[in-house]
Amino acid sequence: MKRSFSILPGFRLASGITLFYLSLLVLIPLCALVWKTTELSLDELVATLTNSRVLASFRVSILTALAAALINLFLGFVIAWVLVRYPMPFKRLFDAVIDLPFALPTAVAGIVLAALYAPDGWIGSFFTELGIRIAYTPLGIVVALMFIGLPFVVRTVEPVLQDLDSQLEEAAQSLGASPWTIFRRVLFPPLIPALLTGFALAFARGLGEYGSVIFIAGNMPMVSEIVPLLIITKLEQYDYAGATAIGLMMLVVAFIMLLVINMLQAWTRKRTGKL
Amino acid sequence: MHTQTLALDRLDQPGARQWPRYVLTGLAIFIIGLFLLLPLAAVLIEAFSEGWDLYVQAINDRYTWEAIKLTLLVAAVVVPLNTVFGIAAAWMIARFQFTGRGALTTLIDLPFSISPVIAGLIFVLVFGAHGWFGSWFAEQGFPIIFAVPGIILATLFVTVPFVARELIPLMQEQGSEEEEAAIALGAGSWTMFRKITLPKIKWGLLYGIILCNARAMGEFGAVSVVSGHIRGQTNTLPLHVEILYNEYNFTAAFAVASLLAGLAILTLVLKSLVEWQQARSLERATQ
């Protein structure tokens, strides 16, 4: 590995630990996934991935993650806006509790959301009267993914909103712009990269989420079965080839999302002038 | 903060429209209450719904104790390992220029964007009965999948980024002048690390460790794939919650879940305290 000269010690030790650890724990196991897929013939791979149940699970996962991320884009923006710009009682408490979905084990989130949104649950019974079933339908998956994804949008938009240059806003105000015009033409445009980053993070997390979803989803094949659950089902049936093929597909999607997120983050830094 | 005084100024003006502020604040409180506070409260209410005695009985169960012990063991192995890795990776990436630095950072981030189920799957493919090394380890009487080592490996994988992600930007921002000065003045590497680096990064490090610990104790998807769900042997607390729930033993499931919810609350409190300390030490440094 080529590096420029530095007086600081420890490069060999630090790089030794880092590369050894990452190879053993991340690189080699991921290679195993790719390697095992190459053991399948192309026909088998195509047959596995175009199976109607597999396609349906991808449709469910993508659509629910997309819906949840879109709703979170709006809700997360409102929360970030209020937390940064308005005085409000118990602000520190509200701010701290935003990270609850990061801290609460997903299985706990899963069972409590299922209990709340079940037809006889506190929230579910209210919707039952309106004739809407949430738990054990794709709507339940969206609810779980909304819970999981909310902090991503809030936490990416918050710092950018905090650092907005207030001089522009003051200038627009003194030139007689209405609050709505100020929001639309001055405040909102610099937030777009951060909003998209938050959206992409929430979407990527939603695609892979397992623990919080399976309790509320109902897990009906073709209707409310998500891709991660299908992988586990295949493993339990000793269909390692099928699980591997679907797993590789998800890995490719995760790579693409990571690339998109990196690009969006670079764009955010450029727009906000922060390194 | 400037933005806040500005917002307040505007509200003081006669005729300024106040309703957006009240509507948005109300909406934000409603969302936080409905989506975050209500589920947290519901865990505790459901756990105690059958009274204190049944709660204690659910916790004081042999299998619950085994699950608590296993969860603590996993965290006790995973958190120190990932802390050492995080410090090493941050030292390498934030203090040296070398080719492949961007790729390495992406590789560290990768476990965050991969589904936990995939994290479990890859270890089954390497160490499972049909995996690369699975049969060899099994023959040595040291099975990895459906055993504790597999649980530790899968948890290590999903928590790889936590400490490193926290330290890399922090150390990049701080720069290396002080460390270079220490070395130039003849300090040994260990002295430099202990007296210069560690005090500068301690709050960021603690922050990463707290989040790493929360995830290590709460991980479900990855562990679920490799564990085999053997009660009293390979059942962590989150998996125990699932088993109890699927047996329709809801009160016990929520009682065990309340322990994990308590862990989450503790994590949030500690995290807020560390953030507060970090802001204070930053303020002191810039004064």
Side-chain angles (χ1 to χ4, degrees):
Chain A
M1 207 173 279
K2 233 162 106 178
R3 67 178 173 106
S4 48
F5 177 76
S6 166
I7 165 179
L8 291 176
F11 180 77
R12 279 166 76 177
L13 179 67
S15 59
I17 295 175
T18 306
L19 296 179
F20 175 75
Y21 197 83
L22 279 179
S23 310
L24 214 64
L25 208 57
V26 181
L27 218 49
I28 293 175
L30 284 177
C31 286
L33 181 60
V34 179
W35 182 260
K36 284 276 174 186
T37 317
T38 59
E39 286 176 4
L40 299 173
S41 75
L42 193 63
D43 290 342
E44 279 175 304
L45 193 67
V46 171
T48 307
L49 291 178
T50 55
N51 173 284
S52 61
R53 187 172 168 190
V54 175
L55 286 178
S57 73
F58 269 101
R59 198 178 56 231
V60 170
S61 276
I62 290 173
L63 287 181
T64 52
L66 210 57
L70 275 172
I71 299 169
N72 275 336
L73 188 62
F74 174 73
L75 300 183
F77 182 45
V78 170
I79 292 176
W81 181 270
V82 169
L83 283 177
V84 171
R85 295 183 63 100
Y86 297 144
M88 135 193 203
F90 306 112
K91 189 176 232 166
R92 288 186 72 123
L93 173 78
F94 282 122
D95 193 57
V97 90
I98 297 293
D99 286 325
L100 179 72
F102 288 155
L104 192 71
T106 52
V108 178
I111 65 167
V112 74
L113 289 175
L116 283 174
Y117 289 89
D120 58 345
W122 295 351
I123 302 175
S125 58
F126 173 76
F127 280 97
T128 312
E129 276 174 34
L130 300 174
I132 304 171
R133 272 182 64 122
I134 294 186
Y136 319 124
T137 71
L139 264 184
I141 305 178
V142 176
V143 168
L145 296 182
M146 279 166 64
F147 176 83
I148 291 298
L150 187 63
F152 287 101
V153 180
V154 180
R155 291 300 184 224
T156 37
V157 175
E158 227 178 358
V160 181
L161 202 52
Q162 235 149 22
D163 289 349
L164 277 188
D165 187 2
S166 57
Q167 283 183 345
L168 284 176
E169 196 182 348
E170 283 163 20
Q173 210 181 343
S174 66
L175 290 171
S178 71
W180 174 241
T181 312
I182 295 176
F183 173 77
R184 207 164 38 93
R185 313 267 313 245
V186 179
L187 295 173
F188 188 67
L191 298 175
I192 292 172
L195 280 167
L196 286 176
T197 308
F199 172 81
L201 285 169
F203 177 67
R205 175 71 198 265
L207 277 181
E209 180 56 25
Y210 174 72
S212 62
V213 172
I214 52 160
F215 296 99
I216 200 174
N219 306 327
M220 288 254 298
M222 311 298 293
V223 180
S224 59
E225 185 178 50
I226 55 168
V227 181
L229 179 70
L230 188 59
I231 293 176
I232 289 195
T233 310
K234 297 244 176 219
L235 275 178
E236 278 168 359
Q237 295 164 347
Y238 302 103
D239 179 6
Y240 286 90
T244 310
I246 303 169
L248 185 74
M249 193 65 205
M250 282 204 75
L251 188 65
V252 171
V253 175
F255 258 121
I256 295 171
M257 286 309 298
L258 193 62
L259 230 75
V260 170
I261 289 165
N262 276 348
M263 272 154 59
L264 284 171
Q265 275 168 341
W267 187 31
T268 312
R269 280 196 293 269
K270 219 172 112 190
R271 281 287 280 267
T272 55
K274 275 178 74 178
L275 249 165
Chain B
M1 250 177 330
H2 206 80
T3 46
Q4 233 159 48
T5 53
L6 183 73
L8 287 173
D9 284 350
R10 198 189 305 135
L11 294 173
D12 291 339
Q13 289 168 15
R17 287 189 296 178
Q18 300 234 1
W19 65 264
R21 181 190 148 202
Y22 292 121
V23 171
L24 291 176
T25 308
L27 185 61
I29 292 177
F30 178 74
I31 302 164
I32 294 173
L34 185 75
F35 273 109
L36 303 173
L37 292 174
L38 183 67
L40 191 59
V43 174
L44 302 177
I45 293 169
E46 292 279 349
F48 291 106
S49 62
E50 310 271 323
W52 175 255
D53 289 340
L54 264 164
Y55 178 83
V56 173
Q57 201 185 322
I59 305 287
N60 217 349
D61 172 79
R62 182 168 87 83
Y63 291 121
T64 306
W65 275 109
E66 293 292 332
I68 292 174
K69 271 193 269 176
L70 179 58
T71 298
L72 291 177
L73 170 75
V74 170
V77 176
V78 166
V79 176
L81 281 176
N82 274 337
T83 304
V84 171
F85 163 76
I87 294 172
W91 184 255
M92 180 186 180
I93 288 172
R95 289 290 178 265
F96 298 95
Q97 297 290 333
F98 54 89
T99 43
R101 204 156 139 258
L104 195 64
T105 316
T106 310
L107 192 63
I108 294 174
D109 269 344
L110 201 56
F112 267 164
S113 51
I114 290 179
S115 170
V117 170
I118 307 290
L121 171 69
I122 56 178
F123 288 105
V124 170
L125 293 178
V126 177
F127 295 111
H130 305 279
W132 281 353
F133 312 116
S135 47
W136 186 81
F137 277 102
E139 277 164 27
Q140 312 302 311
F142 191 72
I144 297 205
I145 297 304
F146 304 147
V148 176
I151 296 177
I152 290 175
L153 279 173
T155 310
L156 273 174
F157 180 92
V158 290
T159 54
V160 157
F162 279 95
V163 176
R165 280 306 293 163
E166 218 48 63
L167 291 183
I168 292 169
L170 180 70
M171 286 170 73
Q172 270 170 342
E173 207 171 307
Q174 285 172 343
S176 57
E177 284 90 358
E178 290 169 67
E179 278 130 353
E180 279 161 10
I183 295 296
L185 291 170
S189 322
W190 177 242
T191 314
M192 174 213 68
F193 177 75
R194 207 164 41 92
K195 298 229 157 148
I196 310 283
T197 310
L198 207 54
K200 280 206 301 182
I201 63 168
K202 66 178 176 211
W203 295 117
L205 184 64
L206 200 57
Y207 192 90
I209 290 174
I210 292 167
L211 294 183
C212 180
N213 178 65
R215 182 72 193 264
M217 289 190 173
E219 177 52 31
F220 178 72
V223 169
S224 175
V225 177
V226 296
S227 124
H229 306 270
I230 308 162
R231 268 198 215 209
Q233 285 180 35
T234 62
N235 223 12
T236 63
L237 270 182
L239 296 178
H240 195 51
V241 169
E242 183 197 20
I243 288 189
L244 292 170
Y245 187 86
N246 285 343
E247 286 173 346
Y248 299 101
N249 195 348
F250 292 132
T251 308
F254 278 103
V256 176
S258 75
L259 297 177
L260 290 166
L263 171 74
I265 295 171
L266 185 69
T267 302
L268 291 184
V269 170
L270 288 175
K271 195 171 146 294
S272 300
L273 284 177
V274 169
E275 271 166 5
W276 183 60
Q277 284 290 345
Q278 214 169 4
R280 252 184 31 165
S281 64
L282 198 73
E283 233 167 67
R284 236 180 282 138
T286 49
Q287 259 168 18

